[in-house]
Amino acid sequence: SRVRQTEAGKARTLAAKQAVQQLINQKASGMRLPAAAGRFISETWSRVLIFACLKHGAQSTVWQGLVRTLDELLWSLQPLQTPAEIERRDALQEDLLKELAEGIDLIQLAPAEATQWQQ
């Protein structure tokens, strides 16, 4: 029945939301993030991850790529000490921005919301 399908869909969405929230909490645990970055991760990137989880599944390469992007983003936001780390961050930056933009495209953010993150 349609009601049962709707209920199953809601349950899947809730499970995906909880899994993503847990993943983000686990990865960002103990990190000090700039407020804007924290908001971006919890409000926008979490939606990208939930979407990928529901559409492609947590075993998919799409999901794994988006999680790797989250890891790179978190890493690049940490205070980096060595010249090698700073060099790596600078080298990653262009790809990271591209990956973030591609992820945001998946959920088709309103243009105003998207430009906010490109500064």
Side-chain angles (χ1 to χ4, degrees):
S1 77
R2 181 163 285 195
V3 171
R4 203 162 330 136
Q5 278 181 326
T6 304
E7 288 306 311
K10 278 184 187 165
R12 277 184 62 223
T13 302
L14 187 63
K17 276 184 178 167
Q18 289 172 333
V20 165
Q21 201 48 63
Q22 215 171 348
L23 175 87
I24 290 172
N25 290 345
Q26 194 184 328
K27 288 184 176 294
S29 166
M31 288 187 173
R32 292 184 51 207
L33 298 173
R39 268 200 316 278
F40 172 76
I41 291 167
S42 64
E43 292 169 14
T44 303
W45 203 250
S46 66
R47 282 169 43 204
V48 174
L49 288 168
I50 291 162
F51 172 84
C53 186
L54 291 169
K55 189 165 167 49
H56 302 284
Q59 303 307 312
S60 67
T61 52
V62 172
W63 163 263
Q64 287 163 0
L66 294 169
V67 171
R68 195 169 48 246
T69 299
L70 172 65
D71 285 335
E72 287 172 0
L73 177 61
L74 288 169
W75 178 82
S76 72
L77 291 166
Q78 295 316 294
L80 304 175
Q81 262 82 46
T82 68
E85 285 178 329
I86 292 164
E87 208 172 295
R88 179 173 167 232
R89 182 187 55 200
D90 292 347
L92 265 179
Q93 202 148 30
E94 205 173 310
D95 285 345
L96 184 56
L97 288 172
K98 201 172 107 225
E99 288 162 15
L100 292 171
E102 285 167 4
I104 289 168
D105 279 349
L106 290 177
I107 56 170
Q108 297 297 310
L109 277 184
E113 203 176 332
T115 49
Q116 195 180 325
W117 301 114
Q118 284 161 9
Q119 270 117 41

